[in-house]
Amino acid sequence: MQLVQRPRRNRRNAQIRALVRETRLGPEHLVLPMFVQEGSALRTPIATMPGQARLSIDLLVDTAREAFELGVPAVALFPALTEDLKDARGTESTNQAGLLPRSVRALKSALPELLVITDVALDPYSSDGHDGVVIDGRIDNDVTLPLLASMAVEQARAGADVVAPSDMMDGRVAAIRRALDEASFTDVLICSYCVKYASGFYGPFRDALESAPRSGDKKTYQMDPGNVRECLREVRLDEAEGADWLMVKPGLPYADVIRFVRENSVLPVAAYHVSGEYSMLKAAAERGFLDYERCLLESLLCLRRAGADMIFTYAAIDAARALAD
Ligand code: PBG
């Protein structure tokens, strides 16, 4: 055979493959999302997310330490509140003595170098289970903005390094930036959930927090899965309003969107490998249909290849361990 081109030469052995690999995945690219609850030494497994649990603050710190020692630089926190603390305006979200601010303080005092990212949205605090305030059955954008801004300021006061608005209200990045700066938190970053779709893949997350909408759905604020041009509008607004990072969510089913955002902004891009993506891998592995570790690392590498600088994933510890082997 007189073949001139033999692409297989570049795949001949592990050393050559390592030299020519275009995309890398390391623990430094990962963010571990965690669910926190009241109590001590309390670990409540989440049925729809095998291997994940709601943790009391002491166990939260232990788990975060494990991740940090494996090279994961950041965690993202979601508080699981009891029903009695929820109301229509998410009042508990600005309580400095509340679960979330106490969690942030505990993490920052035990692990000062660990980056703590907090979620800005009403849903964990809302008796309606929506990210904004519900008035006459509609999500009121402008009534919600000052509540989000105050929530972000309280999170920063507790020590959050990055606040991450996941609510999809219009104008929230500007409102949050202004409020942070007025309170002298000019160094606190904003990771905007810029392009967040109305997705069925969030199902297990809503079980974890018991935060599913009590009525209606989130389609009037989260994006339509059929759209990609619309991202440009969200990207331009978030850049102009002062976002530091842009997030695309969910991850793998939206790899084309990650690429599109990557090519249309110079800001760092985060991808969220969401609860449903995690649970699909776990469920298939439990049934012996696929190899969890291998498919996990491949999924995360593909998100990096699509253009994500960082990846939020519940499997950050599993991945970091596998990468260390
Ligand atoms: C809500 C929020 C959601 C997630 C992160 N923040 C769910 C939702 O919008 O209903 C989803 C994360 C996941 O599924 O892993 N503000």
PDB file of all heavy atoms in Angstrom, residues 104-131:
ATOM      1  N   VAL A 104     -20.889  29.518  54.554  1.00  0.00           N
ATOM      2  CA  VAL A 104     -19.786  30.235  53.897  1.00  0.00           C
ATOM      3  C   VAL A 104     -18.712  30.568  54.929  1.00  0.00           C
ATOM      4  O   VAL A 104     -17.513  30.331  54.699  1.00  0.00           O
ATOM      5  CB  VAL A 104     -20.290  31.535  53.225  1.00  0.00           C
ATOM      6  CG1 VAL A 104     -19.123  32.324  52.644  1.00  0.00           C
ATOM      7  CG2 VAL A 104     -21.319  31.220  52.141  1.00  0.00           C
ATOM      8  N   ARG A 105     -19.128  31.076  56.078  1.00  0.00           N
ATOM      9  CA  ARG A 105     -18.144  31.445  57.105  1.00  0.00           C
ATOM     10  C   ARG A 105     -17.354  30.220  57.579  1.00  0.00           C
ATOM     11  O   ARG A 105     -16.133  30.280  57.751  1.00  0.00           O
ATOM     12  CB  ARG A 105     -18.830  32.139  58.293  1.00  0.00           C
ATOM     13  CG  ARG A 105     -19.243  33.581  57.982  1.00  0.00           C
ATOM     14  CD  ARG A 105     -19.575  34.371  59.253  1.00  0.00           C
ATOM     15  NE  ARG A 105     -20.781  33.865  59.901  1.00  0.00           N
ATOM     16  CZ  ARG A 105     -22.017  34.290  59.610  1.00  0.00           C
ATOM     17  NH1 ARG A 105     -22.206  35.241  58.708  1.00  0.00           N
ATOM     18  NH2 ARG A 105     -23.058  33.786  60.235  1.00  0.00           N
ATOM     19  N   ALA A 106     -18.055  29.097  57.763  1.00  0.00           N
ATOM     20  CA  ALA A 106     -17.367  27.882  58.229  1.00  0.00           C
ATOM     21  C   ALA A 106     -16.341  27.434  57.186  1.00  0.00           C
ATOM     22  O   ALA A 106     -15.205  27.068  57.534  1.00  0.00           O
ATOM     23  CB  ALA A 106     -18.387  26.774  58.484  1.00  0.00           C
ATOM     24  N   LEU A 107     -16.709  27.477  55.917  1.00  0.00           N
ATOM     25  CA  LEU A 107     -15.779  27.040  54.873  1.00  0.00           C
ATOM     26  C   LEU A 107     -14.581  27.974  54.785  1.00  0.00           C
ATOM     27  O   LEU A 107     -13.434  27.530  54.691  1.00  0.00           O
ATOM     28  CB  LEU A 107     -16.496  26.994  53.512  1.00  0.00           C
ATOM     29  CG  LEU A 107     -17.441  25.816  53.285  1.00  0.00           C
ATOM     30  CD1 LEU A 107     -18.283  26.052  52.042  1.00  0.00           C
ATOM     31  CD2 LEU A 107     -16.651  24.509  53.149  1.00  0.00           C
ATOM     32  N   LYS A 108     -14.850  29.286  54.815  1.00  0.00           N
ATOM     33  CA  LYS A 108     -13.742  30.234  54.650  1.00  0.00           C
ATOM     34  C   LYS A 108     -12.815  30.223  55.868  1.00  0.00           C
ATOM     35  O   LYS A 108     -11.623  30.484  55.725  1.00  0.00           O
ATOM     36  CB  LYS A 108     -14.257  31.656  54.389  1.00  0.00           C
ATOM     37  CG  LYS A 108     -14.920  31.880  53.031  1.00  0.00           C
ATOM     38  CD  LYS A 108     -14.081  31.495  51.825  1.00  0.00           C
ATOM     39  CE  LYS A 108     -12.910  32.406  51.548  1.00  0.00           C
ATOM     40  NZ  LYS A 108     -12.220  32.014  50.264  1.00  0.00           N
ATOM     41  N   SER A 109     -13.342  29.913  57.046  1.00  0.00           N
ATOM     42  CA  SER A 109     -12.420  29.898  58.181  1.00  0.00           C
ATOM     43  C   SER A 109     -11.614  28.595  58.198  1.00  0.00           C
ATOM     44  O   SER A 109     -10.435  28.605  58.548  1.00  0.00           O
ATOM     45  CB  SER A 109     -13.128  30.208  59.507  1.00  0.00           C
ATOM     46  OG  SER A 109     -13.721  29.063  60.020  1.00  0.00           O
ATOM     47  N   ALA A 110     -12.196  27.487  57.751  1.00  0.00           N
ATOM     48  CA  ALA A 110     -11.440  26.224  57.721  1.00  0.00           C
ATOM     49  C   ALA A 110     -10.501  26.159  56.524  1.00  0.00           C
ATOM     50  O   ALA A 110      -9.411  25.584  56.611  1.00  0.00           O
ATOM     51  CB  ALA A 110     -12.402  25.036  57.696  1.00  0.00           C
ATOM     52  N   LEU A 111     -10.924  26.717  55.406  1.00  0.00           N
ATOM     53  CA  LEU A 111     -10.173  26.586  54.144  1.00  0.00           C
ATOM     54  C   LEU A 111     -10.126  27.944  53.428  1.00  0.00           C
ATOM     55  O   LEU A 111     -10.814  28.154  52.420  1.00  0.00           O
ATOM     56  CB  LEU A 111     -10.874  25.562  53.228  1.00  0.00           C
ATOM     57  CG  LEU A 111     -11.059  24.155  53.800  1.00  0.00           C
ATOM     58  CD1 LEU A 111     -12.160  23.400  53.069  1.00  0.00           C
ATOM     59  CD2 LEU A 111      -9.739  23.391  53.698  1.00  0.00           C
ATOM     60  N   PRO A 112      -9.302  28.861  53.953  1.00  0.00           N
ATOM     61  CA  PRO A 112      -9.345  30.242  53.428  1.00  0.00           C
ATOM     62  C   PRO A 112      -9.071  30.346  51.921  1.00  0.00           C
ATOM     63  O   PRO A 112      -9.564  31.266  51.280  1.00  0.00           O
ATOM     64  CB  PRO A 112      -8.239  30.960  54.221  1.00  0.00           C
ATOM     65  CG  PRO A 112      -7.880  30.059  55.349  1.00  0.00           C
ATOM     66  CD  PRO A 112      -8.338  28.677  55.036  1.00  0.00           C
ATOM     67  N   GLU A 113      -8.311  29.401  51.380  1.00  0.00           N
ATOM     68  CA  GLU A 113      -7.975  29.505  49.958  1.00  0.00           C
ATOM     69  C   GLU A 113      -9.008  28.873  49.037  1.00  0.00           C
ATOM     70  O   GLU A 113      -8.978  29.074  47.821  1.00  0.00           O
ATOM     71  CB  GLU A 113      -6.608  28.881  49.692  1.00  0.00           C
ATOM     72  CG  GLU A 113      -5.478  29.720  50.255  1.00  0.00           C
ATOM     73  CD  GLU A 113      -4.161  28.974  50.210  1.00  0.00           C
ATOM     74  OE1 GLU A 113      -3.867  28.349  49.170  1.00  0.00           O
ATOM     75  OE2 GLU A 113      -3.441  29.011  51.215  1.00  0.00           O
ATOM     76  N   LEU A 114      -9.890  28.081  49.599  1.00  0.00           N
ATOM     77  CA  LEU A 114     -10.960  27.486  48.785  1.00  0.00           C
ATOM     78  C   LEU A 114     -11.899  28.604  48.315  1.00  0.00           C
ATOM     79  O   LEU A 114     -12.325  29.440  49.115  1.00  0.00           O
ATOM     80  CB  LEU A 114     -11.754  26.485  49.629  1.00  0.00           C
ATOM     81  CG  LEU A 114     -12.997  25.897  48.965  1.00  0.00           C
ATOM     82  CD1 LEU A 114     -12.595  24.788  47.975  1.00  0.00           C
ATOM     83  CD2 LEU A 114     -13.958  25.338  50.011  1.00  0.00           C
ATOM     84  N   LEU A 115     -12.197  28.642  47.028  1.00  0.00           N
ATOM     85  CA  LEU A 115     -13.152  29.631  46.526  1.00  0.00           C
ATOM     86  C   LEU A 115     -14.565  29.173  46.833  1.00  0.00           C
ATOM     87  O   LEU A 115     -14.915  28.020  46.557  1.00  0.00           O
ATOM     88  CB  LEU A 115     -13.007  29.804  45.017  1.00  0.00           C
ATOM     89  CG  LEU A 115     -11.677  30.370  44.518  1.00  0.00           C
ATOM     90  CD1 LEU A 115     -11.648  30.353  42.994  1.00  0.00           C
ATOM     91  CD2 LEU A 115     -11.489  31.784  45.050  1.00  0.00           C
ATOM     92  N   VAL A 116     -15.357  30.070  47.385  1.00  0.00           N
ATOM     93  CA  VAL A 116     -16.747  29.733  47.692  1.00  0.00           C
ATOM     94  C   VAL A 116     -17.667  30.538  46.774  1.00  0.00           C
ATOM     95  O   VAL A 116     -17.604  31.767  46.731  1.00  0.00           O
ATOM     96  CB  VAL A 116     -17.061  30.002  49.177  1.00  0.00           C
ATOM     97  CG1 VAL A 116     -18.548  29.783  49.454  1.00  0.00           C
ATOM     98  CG2 VAL A 116     -16.218  29.100  50.077  1.00  0.00           C
ATOM     99  N   ILE A 117     -18.473  29.793  46.033  1.00  0.00           N
ATOM    100  CA  ILE A 117     -19.411  30.389  45.077  1.00  0.00           C
ATOM    101  C   ILE A 117     -20.820  30.202  45.625  1.00  0.00           C
ATOM    102  O   ILE A 117     -21.191  29.088  46.021  1.00  0.00           O
ATOM    103  CB  ILE A 117     -19.287  29.698  43.697  1.00  0.00           C
ATOM    104  CG1 ILE A 117     -17.837  29.770  43.205  1.00  0.00           C
ATOM    105  CG2 ILE A 117     -20.250  30.317  42.691  1.00  0.00           C
ATOM    106  CD1 ILE A 117     -17.581  29.012  41.884  1.00  0.00           C
ATOM    107  N   THR A 118     -21.584  31.284  45.680  1.00  0.00           N
ATOM    108  CA  THR A 118     -22.946  31.163  46.214  1.00  0.00           C
ATOM    109  C   THR A 118     -23.964  31.451  45.119  1.00  0.00           C
ATOM    110  O   THR A 118     -23.726  32.255  44.218  1.00  0.00           O
ATOM    111  CB  THR A 118     -23.145  32.133  47.400  1.00  0.00           C
ATOM    112  OG1 THR A 118     -22.702  33.433  47.011  1.00  0.00           O
ATOM    113  CG2 THR A 118     -22.364  31.672  48.616  1.00  0.00           C
ATOM    114  N   ASP A 119     -25.097  30.779  45.214  1.00  0.00           N
ATOM    115  CA  ASP A 119     -26.145  30.893  44.210  1.00  0.00           C
ATOM    116  C   ASP A 119     -27.087  32.045  44.558  1.00  0.00           C
ATOM    117  O   ASP A 119     -27.521  32.156  45.702  1.00  0.00           O
ATOM    118  CB  ASP A 119     -26.929  29.571  44.180  1.00  0.00           C
ATOM    119  CG  ASP A 119     -27.797  29.450  42.955  1.00  0.00           C
ATOM    120  OD1 ASP A 119     -27.243  29.275  41.855  1.00  0.00           O
ATOM    121  OD2 ASP A 119     -29.039  29.548  43.089  1.00  0.00           O
ATOM    122  N   VAL A 120     -27.360  32.885  43.571  1.00  0.00           N
ATOM    123  CA  VAL A 120     -28.301  33.980  43.792  1.00  0.00           C
ATOM    124  C   VAL A 120     -29.577  33.703  42.990  1.00  0.00           C
ATOM    125  O   VAL A 120     -29.569  33.765  41.765  1.00  0.00           O
ATOM    126  CB  VAL A 120     -27.702  35.340  43.364  1.00  0.00           C
ATOM    127  CG1 VAL A 120     -28.701  36.469  43.644  1.00  0.00           C
ATOM    128  CG2 VAL A 120     -26.382  35.598  44.076  1.00  0.00           C
ATOM    129  N   ALA A 121     -30.622  33.333  43.691  1.00  0.00           N
ATOM    130  CA  ALA A 121     -31.940  33.082  43.098  1.00  0.00           C
ATOM    131  C   ALA A 121     -32.865  32.829  44.274  1.00  0.00           C
ATOM    132  O   ALA A 121     -32.413  32.421  45.349  1.00  0.00           O
ATOM    133  CB  ALA A 121     -31.934  31.869  42.173  1.00  0.00           C
ATOM    134  N   LEU A 122     -34.149  33.060  44.072  1.00  0.00           N
ATOM    135  CA  LEU A 122     -35.074  32.943  45.192  1.00  0.00           C
ATOM    136  C   LEU A 122     -35.501  31.509  45.514  1.00  0.00           C
ATOM    137  O   LEU A 122     -35.954  31.212  46.614  1.00  0.00           O
ATOM    138  CB  LEU A 122     -36.323  33.785  44.885  1.00  0.00           C
ATOM    139  CG  LEU A 122     -36.616  34.971  45.801  1.00  0.00           C
ATOM    140  CD1 LEU A 122     -35.376  35.772  46.124  1.00  0.00           C
ATOM    141  CD2 LEU A 122     -37.683  35.859  45.187  1.00  0.00           C
ATOM    142  N   ASP A 123     -35.351  30.591  44.552  1.00  0.00           N
ATOM    143  CA  ASP A 123     -36.048  29.295  44.685  1.00  0.00           C
ATOM    144  C   ASP A 123     -35.794  28.496  45.971  1.00  0.00           C
ATOM    145  O   ASP A 123     -36.743  27.939  46.515  1.00  0.00           O
ATOM    146  CB  ASP A 123     -35.888  28.429  43.426  1.00  0.00           C
ATOM    147  CG  ASP A 123     -34.447  28.204  43.017  1.00  0.00           C
ATOM    148  OD1 ASP A 123     -33.611  29.078  43.274  1.00  0.00           O
ATOM    149  OD2 ASP A 123     -34.150  27.152  42.427  1.00  0.00           O
ATOM    150  N   PRO A 124     -34.577  28.440  46.521  1.00  0.00           N
ATOM    151  CA  PRO A 124     -34.439  27.631  47.752  1.00  0.00           C
ATOM    152  C   PRO A 124     -35.169  28.266  48.935  1.00  0.00           C
ATOM    153  O   PRO A 124     -35.412  27.604  49.946  1.00  0.00           O
ATOM    154  CB  PRO A 124     -32.927  27.639  48.028  1.00  0.00           C
ATOM    155  CG  PRO A 124     -32.282  28.164  46.805  1.00  0.00           C
ATOM    156  CD  PRO A 124     -33.286  29.021  46.113  1.00  0.00           C
ATOM    157  N   TYR A 125     -35.493  29.566  48.817  1.00  0.00           N
ATOM    158  CA  TYR A 125     -36.090  30.322  49.922  1.00  0.00           C
ATOM    159  C   TYR A 125     -37.565  30.618  49.695  1.00  0.00           C
ATOM    160  O   TYR A 125     -38.231  31.198  50.538  1.00  0.00           O
ATOM    161  CB  TYR A 125     -35.372  31.673  50.058  1.00  0.00           C
ATOM    162  CG  TYR A 125     -33.867  31.574  50.142  1.00  0.00           C
ATOM    163  CD1 TYR A 125     -33.062  31.705  49.008  1.00  0.00           C
ATOM    164  CD2 TYR A 125     -33.242  31.347  51.374  1.00  0.00           C
ATOM    165  CE1 TYR A 125     -31.678  31.609  49.084  1.00  0.00           C
ATOM    166  CE2 TYR A 125     -31.859  31.259  51.453  1.00  0.00           C
ATOM    167  CZ  TYR A 125     -31.084  31.388  50.320  1.00  0.00           C
ATOM    168  OH  TYR A 125     -29.719  31.288  50.395  1.00  0.00           O
ATOM    169  N   SER A 126     -38.058  30.266  48.495  1.00  0.00           N
ATOM    170  CA  SER A 126     -39.384  30.711  48.080  1.00  0.00           C
ATOM    171  C   SER A 126     -40.452  29.650  48.302  1.00  0.00           C
ATOM    172  O   SER A 126     -40.296  28.500  47.887  1.00  0.00           O
ATOM    173  CB  SER A 126     -39.331  31.090  46.594  1.00  0.00           C
ATOM    174  OG  SER A 126     -40.594  30.942  45.998  1.00  0.00           O
ATOM    175  N   SER A 127     -41.547  30.056  48.938  1.00  0.00           N
ATOM    176  CA  SER A 127     -42.666  29.121  49.138  1.00  0.00           C
ATOM    177  C   SER A 127     -43.329  28.788  47.802  1.00  0.00           C
ATOM    178  O   SER A 127     -44.113  27.853  47.707  1.00  0.00           O
ATOM    179  CB  SER A 127     -43.679  29.719  50.124  1.00  0.00           C
ATOM    180  OG  SER A 127     -43.935  31.066  49.776  1.00  0.00           O
ATOM    181  N   ASP A 128     -43.040  29.551  46.756  1.00  0.00           N
ATOM    182  CA  ASP A 128     -43.579  29.256  45.426  1.00  0.00           C
ATOM    183  C   ASP A 128     -42.629  28.397  44.594  1.00  0.00           C
ATOM    184  O   ASP A 128     -43.001  27.928  43.515  1.00  0.00           O
ATOM    185  CB  ASP A 128     -43.861  30.557  44.666  1.00  0.00           C
ATOM    186  CG  ASP A 128     -44.961  31.371  45.323  1.00  0.00           C
ATOM    187  OD1 ASP A 128     -46.051  30.823  45.522  1.00  0.00           O
ATOM    188  OD2 ASP A 128     -44.710  32.543  45.667  1.00  0.00           O
ATOM    189  N   GLY A 129     -41.383  28.229  45.047  1.00  0.00           N
ATOM    190  CA  GLY A 129     -40.419  27.418  44.301  1.00  0.00           C
ATOM    191  C   GLY A 129     -39.987  28.061  42.992  1.00  0.00           C
ATOM    192  O   GLY A 129     -39.485  27.370  42.110  1.00  0.00           O
ATOM    193  N   HIS A 130     -40.165  29.387  42.890  1.00  0.00           N
ATOM    194  CA  HIS A 130     -39.696  30.073  41.687  1.00  0.00           C
ATOM    195  C   HIS A 130     -38.457  30.911  42.007  1.00  0.00           C
ATOM    196  O   HIS A 130     -38.195  31.246  43.157  1.00  0.00           O
ATOM    197  CB  HIS A 130     -40.804  30.955  41.103  1.00  0.00           C
ATOM    198  CG  HIS A 130     -41.715  30.186  40.191  1.00  0.00           C
ATOM    199  ND1 HIS A 130     -41.325  29.773  38.936  1.00  0.00           N
ATOM    200  CD2 HIS A 130     -42.985  29.729  40.364  1.00  0.00           C
ATOM    201  CE1 HIS A 130     -42.326  29.104  38.366  1.00  0.00           C
ATOM    202  NE2 HIS A 130     -43.337  29.052  39.216  1.00  0.00           N
ATOM    203  N   ASP A 131     -37.714  31.269  40.939  1.00  0.00           N
ATOM    204  CA  ASP A 131     -36.479  32.027  41.134  1.00  0.00           C
ATOM    205  C   ASP A 131     -36.744  33.514  41.377  1.00  0.00           C
ATOM    206  O   ASP A 131     -35.857  34.252  41.816  1.00  0.00           O
ATOM    207  CB  ASP A 131     -35.559  31.865  39.914  1.00  0.00           C
ATOM    208  CG  ASP A 131     -35.074  30.428  39.767  1.00  0.00           C
ATOM    209  OD1 ASP A 131     -35.715  29.523  40.340  1.00  0.00           O
ATOM    210  OD2 ASP A 131     -34.063  30.204  39.085  1.00  0.00           O
TER     211      ASP A 131
END
